[in-house]
Amino acid sequence: MQDASDREDRSHGSLPYRSDIDGLRAIAVLAVVLYHFGVPGLEGGFVGVDIFFVISGFLIGGILWREYDATGRIWLRHFYIRRFRRLAPAFFTMVLVTAVLSWALLLPFEFRELGKQLIAATIYLSNVLFFGQAGYFDTASDEKALLHTWSLAVEEQFYIFLPLFILLLSRNRRALLAALVGCWIASFLACVWLTPPYQTSTFYLFPFRAWELLSGVLLAIWGCESGRRWRGHTVLSLAGLTLVAGSILLIPAGPLFPGLLALFPVLGTVLLLANGRGQNPVNRMLSTREAVFFGKISYSLYLWHWPVLVLSLYLRGAYAGLWEAGLWMALSVGLAWLSWRYVETPVRRARVPGFVILGGTATASAATLALGAWLYLNDGLPNRFGPEARIHIAASDDFLQDWSRCRTPSEGPLMGLEVCPIGPEGDPEVLVWGDSHVRAVKEGLDLAAHEAGRPGLIIWRAGCPPLFGIRKVESAATLAQDTACTNANLQIGQSFQRLPSLETVLLIGRWSYYANGTGIGLDAGNTIAVHPLESPTRLDARQSDIVAAAAKATVARLLDPFDEVVVLRQPPEIAQYDSRLAAREAAHDGWPLAREAVTRTSIPRTALAQRIAPAEAPWRAMAEDGAIRWIDPWPRLCDEGACHALNGDTGYYFDNNHLTNSAALALRDLFAPVFSGDRGTGS
């Protein structure tokens, strides 16, 4: 990663060049690169970052401590000029090239997000930005072109913390050493203690990673104070290599890292550094020409490999095999060598005054901040693409609703549940209860309620069937989310007697998903199992029968407190449609290496017949008996032969089963009878 070379700053007794450190850098960067490109067998390749942290702490800590030991102070200006000289040129080159390629490739919402990433990376806060988003190990991480800068931000925050900390306590050497050890202990214990409940925090944020960097710092200080020559013992080098290799091969990605697991690569790196100049097989291996080569380009390779990975996958969709991943890795190595040879090395060796380095870094930072702000404020420049792509782009951007009126009561029958008033102010008369399909049509519901002048209340939970007497286990949800669904439905069922103003209830759900147990088309990998709440599931029971029984029991229970029960027929699923994927395919049409188009904007009605039959059977039967009103949006979304995601030049679907706000508003007249109080038979 960041190549704080131990050749620099020969003043104040810097250590001579150590080829074993370049070899250790090579292990770290290759572990990260191979892991990110999906090479099998490297379960913990991501620990290469932890190895880098220790190396950086060792080198930077050694430089600062030797300066402090020789002069009694730290020259901040000189320190930061050295850091900018080494790190800034390659970083800003990578950022510029990534921004240019992203302009050609990324859709507006992703290009807009890149603007935020540019700003955060430039001001050393990208780890904080990504902390607030999806986790590092989540699938969405491979769409963030600057995600890898989170670790650079941690190191840059360390570059601010350590010299200032030394300056603060510089008058009392013992107090300074004790404070550094205390910081290590506090950071380590916090990391171990808080990783299980707050893994995203401990992964991204500097206070929980400081102990890794301080491990290198304290090792360097110990070496300076004891006059060590770092020759050590062969057995300790072998132990260090075993710990590092074992960590790369065996540590699992996920919620337990960093925590105590991070101790293994950190300890292994400390042992290798502490014994790195001894004449033994480990150090000879680390000092080979190949290892040193990758060590020298490690910072540039770390910078370039992630944008190459993200943008190539964005264009390709998926690699054709490991051989293709190898080609993209080779491109990363080539770019890294060019960056090291023609950007890093010339700037490092150039006899340029410090004020030029500072001025150039400030100028490049200001330009990057301006670019990021421009992209963000201009919504990612949507006019870069043609009209066919813009239809899907608009649809993908048409799924955010206004939830400002939502609240979570701290008391009362709905205590702890998020409730969202719609329509005019007043005691709610209509309850809308459902899953994420409620969210999809929220704007239409809200406008229909306002037009009718009748207050309503929304309660929704993604992936949670609005049914009594069942529990669900869903592939896209955690155990806690599944349990929260069951508990919320129980609480909702117990609340009606204490909400006397409610007269009508509207149920909205993805009924075919619950009855069949799987998604369809592009989301066929999503699964959900529905079980009776009070009894075990019979081995011969069909899920559609379980859902049908729950539907009938739910309606029977709702007819007691409510005057009317209304059910929205699930909008047809356009199996092979997703607005974002369709937008990418249209935007990249004609590009070499672009993915083959898989999206379709229509689906024959006959293709859905078998899927919807068991899902709709109980509702249709109850509608025929007059127990419920059945609202059918299909005539507005389908013709005689097929159902369509597009209506003229307007996108009606966000993905293959959720409507856009435009569709919800266009279909709001279907909800008008619900809010008008008209209790006709419905459609």
Side-chain angles (χ1 to χ4, degrees):
M1 202 192 305
Q2 296 189 0
D3 187 5
S5 176
D6 43 345
R7 284 178 173 172
E8 65 183 22
D9 192 24
R10 293 287 184 176
S11 61
H12 311 310
S14 291
L15 288 173
Y17 171 67
R18 284 178 52 177
S19 56
D20 64 290
I21 292 181
D22 270 333
L24 190 52
R25 287 194 188 106
I27 290 177
V29 76
L30 290 176
V32 171
V33 171
L34 294 172
Y35 171 77
H36 284 158
F37 276 92
V39 175
L42 302 177
E43 298 297 324
F46 53 88
V47 304
V49 171
D50 304 82
I51 297 171
F52 275 126
F53 284 162
V54 180
I55 295 173
S56 290
F58 179 72
L59 296 175
I60 298 302
I63 290 170
L64 291 173
W65 191 261
R66 284 186 290 274
E67 184 175 27
Y68 167 67
D69 188 51
T71 68
R73 61 173 301 174
I74 301 294
W75 294 90
L76 291 178
R77 180 174 179 272
H78 295 162
F79 174 75
Y80 289 119
I81 287 173
R82 293 194 300 265
R83 302 273 56 76
F84 291 147
R85 183 190 294 271
R86 174 161 299 281
L87 305 175
F91 170 78
F92 286 113
T93 301
M94 179 275 295
V95 162
L96 175 63
V97 174
T98 299
V100 170
L101 292 175
S102 298
W103 175 86
L105 283 171
L106 297 188
L107 297 178
F109 39 85
E110 291 144 343
F111 203 33
R112 181 176 183 267
E113 285 299 303
L114 181 70
K116 290 168 59 177
Q117 295 171 32
L118 288 171
I119 294 171
T122 304
I123 60 175
Y124 315 145
L125 290 176
S126 55
N127 60 327
V128 178
L129 172 68
F130 295 121
F131 156 70
Q133 299 177 353
Y136 181 82
F137 300 114
D138 293 343
T139 55
S141 65
D142 62 8
E143 296 182 354
K144 302 171 184 176
L146 296 181
L147 175 66
H148 64 319
T149 63
W150 77 268
S151 61
L152 307 184
V154 170
E155 291 197 23
E156 286 152 351
Q157 290 159 18
F158 164 70
Y159 295 157
I160 295 171
F161 162 79
L162 185 62
L164 294 178
F165 193 82
I166 293 175
L167 279 178
L168 181 65
L169 298 175
S170 59
R171 294 187 178 182
N172 190 323
R173 193 183 190 92
R174 288 189 176 182
L176 174 58
L177 287 170
L180 287 171
V181 172
C183 287
W184 187 97
I185 294 172
S187 174
F188 175 72
L189 292 178
C191 180
V192 172
W193 181 39
L194 295 176
T195 288
Y198 302 107
Q199 186 265 342
T200 304
S201 301
T202 57
F203 188 93
Y204 280 115
L205 300 183
F206 170 69
F208 307 106
R209 293 291 197 153
W211 70 274
E212 301 183 28
L213 293 142
L214 286 171
S215 295
V217 172
L218 293 173
L219 176 65
I221 293 174
W222 174 65
C224 292
E225 295 295 300
S226 63
R228 284 192 60 82
R229 302 180 70 180
W230 309 111
R231 290 179 178 172
H233 304 281
T234 300
V235 67
L236 295 178
S237 292
L238 288 170
L241 183 62
T242 300
L243 285 170
V244 166
S247 299
I248 292 170
L249 294 173
L250 300 175
I251 287 181
L256 296 180
F257 191 87
L260 195 60
L261 291 175
L263 185 61
F264 297 102
V266 169
L267 179 58
T269 305
V270 167
L271 289 174
L272 288 171
L273 290 171
N275 302 279
R277 300 198 68 196
Q279 295 299 314
N280 62 58
V282 172
N283 294 328
R284 285 195 291 271
M285 179 198 72
L286 293 175
S287 299
T288 59
R289 179 182 302 176
E290 295 78 12
V292 169
F293 167 77
F294 280 103
K296 288 182 180 298
I297 69 168
S298 59
Y299 173 52
S300 281
L301 181 53
Y302 184 83
L303 284 178
W304 286 100
H305 87 282
W306 185 255
V308 168
L309 173 69
V310 169
L311 296 179
S312 63
L313 283 175
Y314 192 85
L315 179 65
R316 298 283 291 138
Y319 294 145
L322 195 57
W323 64 269
E324 184 181 350
L327 293 177
W328 291 108
M329 282 189 281
L331 175 62
S332 302
V333 173
L335 290 171
W337 182 82
L338 290 172
S339 174
W340 171 76
R341 177 66 179 81
Y342 296 106
V343 179
E344 281 191 69
T345 302
V347 175
R348 187 175 70 245
R349 292 179 177 174
R351 295 184 177 276
V352 179
F355 73 87
V356 175
I357 297 295
L358 291 175
T361 302
T363 301
S365 298
T368 304
L369 291 172
L371 175 61
W374 182 59
L375 296 180
Y376 184 78
L377 295 175
N378 287 277
D379 293 323
L381 309 179
N383 293 328
R384 291 173 293 136
F385 301 105
E388 183 177 351
R390 287 205 296 269
I391 293 175
H392 304 294
I393 290 170
S396 65
D397 201 32
D398 194 20
F399 195 60
L400 295 176
Q401 299 84 18
D402 178 11
W403 301 99
S404 59
R405 295 176 65 189
C406 296
R407 65 183 189 279
T408 302
S410 57
E411 58 183 6
L414 298 176
M415 179 179 63
L417 300 179
E418 185 180 47
V419 296
C420 303
I422 56 174
E425 297 293 338
D427 293 335
E429 299 176 21
V430 177
L431 173 67
V432 182
W433 177 30
D435 56 17
S436 60
H437 281 214
V438 173
R439 170 180 177 156
V441 297
K442 184 262 181 185
E443 297 301 313
L445 291 167
D446 195 13
L447 185 54
H450 274 291
E451 291 174 341
R454 195 177 188 201
L457 187 69
I458 284 176
I459 303 177
W460 73 279
R461 187 177 293 268
C464 186
L467 300 171
F468 297 127
I470 55 98
R471 60 182 178 87
K472 61 99 173 179
V473 179
E474 190 176 13
S475 62
T478 64
L479 175 61
Q481 290 169 329
D482 289 335
T483 302
C485 169
T486 302
N487 293 338
N489 287 357
L490 285 169
Q491 183 177 351
I492 290 168
Q494 296 166 358
S495 70
F496 298 139
Q497 300 300 330
R498 298 175 62 187
L499 298 169
S501 65
L502 292 175
E503 299 174 354
T504 302
V505 59
L506 169 61
L507 302 181
I508 299 178
R510 190 181 179 188
W511 311 118
S512 61
Y513 178 50
Y514 305 135
N516 290 278
T518 66
I520 185 174
L522 295 179
D523 83 323
N526 291 329
T527 62
I528 187 168
V530 177
H531 305 283
L533 183 60
E534 302 295 340
S535 61
T537 303
R538 292 170 40 194
L539 293 178
D540 61 344
R542 295 184 303 178
Q543 185 155 310
S544 58
D545 292 337
I546 296 172
V547 173
K552 294 174 184 176
T554 298
V555 170
R557 185 171 173 182
L558 291 174
L559 285 174
D560 180 27
F562 291 96
D563 297 335
E564 183 181 32
V565 177
V566 186
V567 179
L568 176 67
R569 185 186 188 188
Q570 178 190 326
E573 296 165 310
I574 315 298
Q576 291 299 121
Y577 185 74
D578 181 275
S579 60
R580 294 194 174 193
L581 183 54
R584 287 189 193 183
E585 292 174 351
H588 301 158
D589 185 34
W591 275 65
L593 303 179
R595 74 179 78 198
E596 183 180 352
V598 298
T599 60
R600 300 289 183 272
T601 60
S602 300
I603 186 171
R605 294 177 72 130
T606 53
L608 293 173
Q610 184 175 357
R611 179 172 171 84
I612 66 173
E616 295 185 352
W619 304 114
R620 288 185 175 277
M622 287 185 282
E624 291 175 1
D625 292 341
I628 66 169
R629 181 205 295 253
W630 179 244
I631 297 178
D632 186 1
W634 283 51
R636 307 280 287 277
L637 301 169
C638 311
D639 53 33
E640 291 184 0
C643 300
H644 309 281
L646 306 181
N647 186 338
D649 60 356
T650 302
Y652 267 23
Y653 278 74
F654 174 79
D655 55 21
N656 71 355
N657 65 98
H658 290 96
L659 299 179
T660 61
N661 293 330
S662 295
L665 292 171
L667 300 177
R668 71 183 185 278
D669 59 291
L670 295 177
F671 303 122
V674 177
F675 293 99
S676 67
D678 175 12
R679 299 190 178 115
T681 59
S683 56

